[in-house]
């Protein structure tokens, strides 16, 4: 996927234009389970590794206490002589505990690679101040988009218009209300109005929506409702934690009965994405070997939701005219235009 550089003014710039982050191939570190709570690490987390030095241009801080109390550990953290893994990766395997005794595997992820984050930060500083470093938060707070967010009482479609994520290409008010009501990085979520969000919270949410909606999708479409997505467990700085899944590609060459079971689960997932009681229609804009994965008991999940698009069939059905089973185009008579959507169904 390519990107292009744009010139824009301070008074009329979109956040996505200055968050120029390119996709990189994801790398993973193998997960290890352990119930030995006596092993302690000999190092401390640095703000730079977590991305806390960039907050509030970050995902959030809901899981920071668990990181610092060593209740979320990287694989290598179980051995005291080992150091933190490379900061250059986008995904890490780790372990999570609630009681200090039993551990379960988790995935610790960045919205994009650390290198891409740093390049984007430098571009922002260079654009505004012609310097390599600056207060990223201070620069983004001055953008026209964020000024509108600070004044808004409710997240409306015009506030996310133009963000470079397919998930928000045609947002309904019902979908945006769901984001605010279920946003897990604040304590008193539940209202569709943003009155419980501070300016800091709004900046974090806007940043996440602008770079990668994956953690937001996990928060607002939980497994308790039947959605085939991993569970969101919190964030710290520019890292977020979710339940661990094994990529579907790891089953290449598996026994016929295992392959048949995975294929059956895949058909069920695709059907649920387009036929559910919540009247949301999901579609894929890209599929690769890392899109799907399984948990330890063999259940199949969509492990990467960043390439998902969504149509609200309850509030947005009048915006589209179905032509074929795999194509829906906008209904121009309704004076709306969201582009044509092709579904891998």
């Amino acid at each position: 996927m390519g990107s292009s550089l744009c010139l824009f003014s301070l008074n009329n710039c979109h956040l996505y234009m200055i968050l120029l982050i390119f996709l990189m191939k994801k790398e993973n570190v193998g997960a290890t389970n352990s119930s030995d709570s006596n092993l302690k690490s000999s190092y401390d987390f640095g703000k730079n590794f977590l991305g806390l030095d960039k907050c509030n241009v970050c995902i959030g801080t809901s899981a920071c206490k668990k990181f610092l109390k060593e209740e979320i550990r990287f694989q290598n953290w179980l051995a005291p002589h080992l150091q933190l893994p490379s900061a250059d990766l986008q995904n890490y395997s780790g372990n999570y505990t609630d009681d200090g005794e039993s551990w379960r595997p988790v995935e610790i992820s960045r919205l994009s690679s650390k290198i891409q984050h740093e390049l984007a930060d430098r571009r922002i500083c260079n654009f505004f101040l012609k310097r390599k470093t600056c207060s990223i938060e201070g620069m983004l707070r001055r953008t026209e988009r964020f000024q509108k967010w600070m004044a808004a009482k409710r997240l409306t479609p015009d506030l996310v218009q133009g963000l470079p994520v397919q998930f928000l290409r045609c947002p309904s008010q019902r979908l945006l209300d769901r984001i605010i009501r279920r946003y897990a990085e604040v304590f008193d979520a539940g209202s569709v109005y943003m009155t419980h969000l501070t300016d800091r919270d709004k900046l974090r949410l806007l940043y996440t929506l602008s770079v990668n909606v994956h953690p937001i999708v996990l928060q607002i479409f939980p497994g308790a409702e039947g959605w085939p997505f991993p569970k969101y467990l919190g964030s710290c700085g520019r890292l977020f934690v979710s339940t661990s899944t094994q990529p579907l590609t790891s089953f290449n060459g598996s026994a016929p009965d295992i392959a048949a079971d995975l294929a059956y689960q895949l058909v069920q997932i695709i059907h649920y994405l387009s036929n559910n009681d919540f009247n949301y229609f999901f579609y894929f804009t890209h599929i690769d070997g890392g899109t799907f994965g399984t948990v330890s008991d063999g259940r199949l999940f969509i492990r990467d939701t960043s390439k998902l698009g969504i149509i609200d069939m309850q509030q947005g059905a009048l915006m589209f005219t179905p032509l074929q089973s795999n194509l829906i185009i906008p209904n121009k008579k309704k004076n709306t235009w969201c582009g044509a959507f092709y579904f891998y169904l």
Side-chain angles (χ1 to χ4, degrees):
M1 178 179 295
S3 299
S4 60
L5 296 177
C6 302
L7 296 177
F8 51 95
S9 67
L10 176 62
N11 292 327
N12 188 28
C13 60
H14 294 294
L15 186 63
Y16 74 91
M17 290 182 178
I18 51 181
L19 294 173
L20 298 173
I21 299 176
F22 300 90
L23 295 176
M24 291 180 65
K25 183 178 179 180
K26 297 181 178 180
E27 301 179 65
N28 293 283
V29 181
T32 301
N33 292 314
S34 175
S35 59
D36 187 353
S37 62
N38 295 321
L39 290 176
K40 297 294 183 180
S41 63
S42 60
Y43 56 80
D44 295 320
F45 271 119
K47 286 187 175 182
N48 182 264
F49 184 88
L50 293 170
L52 278 172
D53 57 324
K54 302 299 183 182
C55 281
N56 295 297
V57 187
C58 62
I59 307 170
T61 57
S62 60
C64 286
K65 286 185 178 180
K66 296 193 74 68
F67 272 108
L68 298 177
K69 291 169 62 178
E70 302 186 7
E71 294 175 348
I72 298 177
R73 301 177 176 180
F74 291 88
Q75 174 193 6
N76 292 347
W77 204 346
L78 297 176
H81 65 283
L82 296 178
Q83 301 299 313
L84 280 168
S86 170
D88 296 330
L89 303 182
Q90 185 171 342
N91 298 298
Y92 308 86
S93 291
N95 300 271
Y96 180 102
T97 184
D98 287 316
D99 55 16
E101 298 293 334
S102 58
W103 294 83
R104 62 181 186 272
V106 294
E107 184 165 316
I108 305 169
S109 308
R110 304 182 192 275
L111 298 182
S112 67
S113 73
K114 195 170 188 293
I115 293 177
Q116 291 168 1
H117 277 304
E118 291 172 351
L119 287 174
D121 291 345
R122 286 200 293 268
R123 289 186 181 121
I124 294 171
C125 295
N126 184 64
F127 177 81
F128 285 109
L129 299 176
K130 307 303 179 184
R131 295 185 343 207
K132 291 184 178 181
T133 60
C134 67
S135 170
I136 306 299
E137 178 178 349
M139 295 300 98
L140 296 184
R141 282 180 177 272
R142 295 165 58 186
T143 62
E144 181 180 1
R145 185 186 291 273
F146 186 68
Q147 292 297 319
K148 292 180 179 179
W149 272 62
M150 286 196 296
K153 301 299 183 183
R154 193 173 188 178
L155 186 60
T156 52
D158 62 293
L159 295 177
V160 298
Q161 183 178 8
L163 293 182
V165 288
Q166 188 68 33
F167 190 79
L168 294 174
R169 185 170 183 177
C170 293
S172 66
Q173 187 59 57
R174 188 170 72 109
L175 175 64
L176 298 180
D177 287 345
R178 191 180 183 95
I179 291 175
I180 299 301
R181 193 173 64 250
R182 300 191 175 192
Y183 183 44
E185 291 300 324
V186 294
F187 291 109
D188 49 356
S191 171
V192 299
Y193 295 99
M194 295 197 291
T195 52
H196 62 290
L197 270 63
T198 64
D199 290 349
R200 176 193 65 188
D201 298 327
K202 291 180 180 180
L203 182 57
R204 293 175 178 179
L205 176 58
L206 176 57
Y207 171 77
T208 307
L209 291 174
S210 301
V211 180
N212 188 337
V213 298
H214 179 58
I216 301 297
V217 174
L218 303 190
Q219 293 172 49
I220 67 176
F221 293 105
E225 293 180 349
W227 301 105
F229 308 132
K231 183 179 180 179
Y232 182 78
L233 298 171
S235 70
C236 186
R238 289 184 169 181
L239 294 174
F240 69 94
V241 185
S242 59
T243 52
S244 178
T245 55
Q246 185 177 7
L248 199 58
T249 51
S250 63
F251 290 90
N252 290 344
S254 59
D257 58 330
I258 296 178
D261 177 65
L262 292 174
Y264 177 70
Q265 290 189 63
L266 181 58
V267 171
Q268 288 184 312
I269 286 177
I270 298 300
H271 177 77
Y272 188 80
L273 292 181
S274 57
N275 297 274
N276 53 76
D277 293 337
F278 303 96
N279 291 316
Y280 287 110
F281 192 115
F282 286 86
Y283 60 94
F284 295 95
T285 62
H286 176 78
I287 294 178
D288 57 32
T291 302
F292 300 94
T294 63
V295 293
S296 57
D297 61 5
R299 287 178 296 155
L300 189 67
F301 285 84
I302 299 176
R303 66 192 305 267
D304 181 6
T305 66
S306 63
K307 299 302 185 296
L308 279 179
I310 185 171
I311 294 175
D312 186 340
M313 301 305 291
Q314 180 171 306
Q315 287 191 353
L318 295 179
M319 297 168 60
F320 304 94
T321 301
L323 292 182
Q324 306 169 4
S325 60
N326 66 333
L327 172 63
I328 292 180
I329 65 171
N331 186 340
K332 295 182 180 179
K333 294 182 180 180
K334 299 297 180 180
N335 296 318
T336 59
W337 181 258
C338 292
F341 299 94
Y342 294 84
F343 306 106
Y344 297 86
L345 298 178

